[in-house]
């Protein structure tokens, strides 16, 4: 089964995937879809206002953040899911995402913190659903001394579409069984 998504002037068929025995979600994957990434980014940037740097979480937000950086000329920072050997004295925050089976931790190194400190940050992600990942990224930004200028995603899934503190292009329904 699929869900037909129309976003940024494009149409995509999204496969429905089970979250558990009571709920399916539509799989929105921007990886390898350059046309979709470029179009969605252009539309999102029109809505986001002024910012100095982009912040996203590893992994699915990376294509969007890269393209937003390319189109805007601003730098981007990725909150990592594990500590890498090159990361100096990282800060961290825990997160539970609807698309991940277990608790995760997101990390920023001191080098990333230096890029964020005192800056207006645009938080970008592919989909905002429960808001858990978004909250974790906000905490990292605030801990790094950044000011969140805007929070944006291509899609707002389920109840997230009712939020008034996020920017998004389209609603994405959930599919109760």
């Amino acid at each position: 089964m699929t869900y037909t998504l129309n976003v940024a002037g494009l149409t995509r068929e999204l496969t429905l995937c089970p979250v558990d025995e009571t709920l399916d979600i539509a799989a929105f994957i921007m990886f390898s879809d350059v046309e979709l990434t470029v179009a969605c980014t252009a539309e999102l940037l029109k809505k986001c206002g002024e910012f100095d740097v982009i912040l996203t979480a590893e992994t699915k937000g990376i294509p969007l953040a890269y393209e937003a950086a390319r189109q805007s000329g601003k730098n981007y920072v990725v909150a990592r899911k594990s500590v890498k050997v090159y990361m100096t004295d990282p800060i961290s925050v825990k997160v539970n995402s609807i698309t991940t089976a277990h608790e995760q931790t997101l990390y920023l190194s001191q080098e990333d913190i230096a890029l964020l400190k005192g800056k207006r940050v645009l938080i970008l992600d592919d989909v905002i659903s429960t808001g858990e990942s978004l909250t974790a990224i906000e905490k990292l930004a605030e801990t790094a001394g950044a000011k969140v200028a805007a929070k944006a995603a291509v899609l707002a899934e389920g109840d997230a579409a009712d939020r008034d503190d996020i920017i998004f292009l389209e609603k994405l329904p959930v599919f109760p069984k």
Side-chain angles (χ1 to χ4, degrees):
M1 295 198 355
T2 63
Y3 171 74
T4 303
L5 174 69
N6 295 298
V7 62
L10 301 172
T11 302
R12 296 295 186 269
E13 290 297 321
L14 307 183
T15 302
L16 297 186
C17 302
V19 172
D20 57 32
E21 63 280 347
T22 65
L23 183 69
D24 287 350
I25 60 173
F28 179 69
I29 312 294
M30 294 183 78
F31 289 127
S32 77
D33 194 335
V34 175
E35 179 185 39
L36 183 68
T37 303
V38 171
C40 289
T41 302
E43 292 304 311
L44 265 180
L45 286 176
K46 290 176 187 176
K47 295 180 165 205
C48 288
E50 295 295 318
F51 62 92
D52 302 312
V53 66
I54 299 156
L55 177 60
T56 195
E58 193 175 43
T59 299
K60 288 174 60 185
I62 294 173
L64 183 66
Y66 169 82
E67 184 58 22
R70 191 188 70 77
Q71 289 184 26
S72 69
K74 310 286 181 164
N75 287 329
Y76 73 102
V77 171
V78 177
R80 304 300 303 263
K81 290 183 179 176
S82 63
V83 175
K84 306 300 180 191
V85 295
Y86 54 80
M87 295 174 75
T88 306
D89 194 22
I91 61 172
S92 67
V93 65
K94 303 267 187 218
V95 62
N96 287 300
S97 170
I98 191 171
T99 57
T100 306
H102 60 292
E103 182 179 71
Q104 294 180 321
T105 305
L106 295 176
Y107 301 90
L108 288 176
S109 70
Q110 290 302 311
E111 294 80 7
D112 296 329
I113 293 167
L115 291 172
L116 297 171
K117 187 172 184 174
K119 301 287 189 337
R120 297 171 298 172
V121 173
L122 169 60
I123 296 174
L124 282 182
D125 210 347
D126 60 336
V127 178
I128 296 173
S129 185
T130 63
E132 294 292 328
S133 296
L134 180 62
T135 298
I137 297 168
E138 283 183 278
K139 286 179 186 174
L140 280 175
E142 291 166 3
T143 302
K147 179 184 183 301
V148 176
K151 301 171 279 191
V154 175
L155 304 174
E157 186 174 51
D159 292 342
D162 297 330
R163 293 176 60 154
D164 61 6
D165 66 326
I166 61 172
I167 298 164
F168 60 94
L169 298 180
E170 295 294 336
K171 297 177 182 181
L172 182 63
V174 294
F175 303 88
K177 295 180 186 179

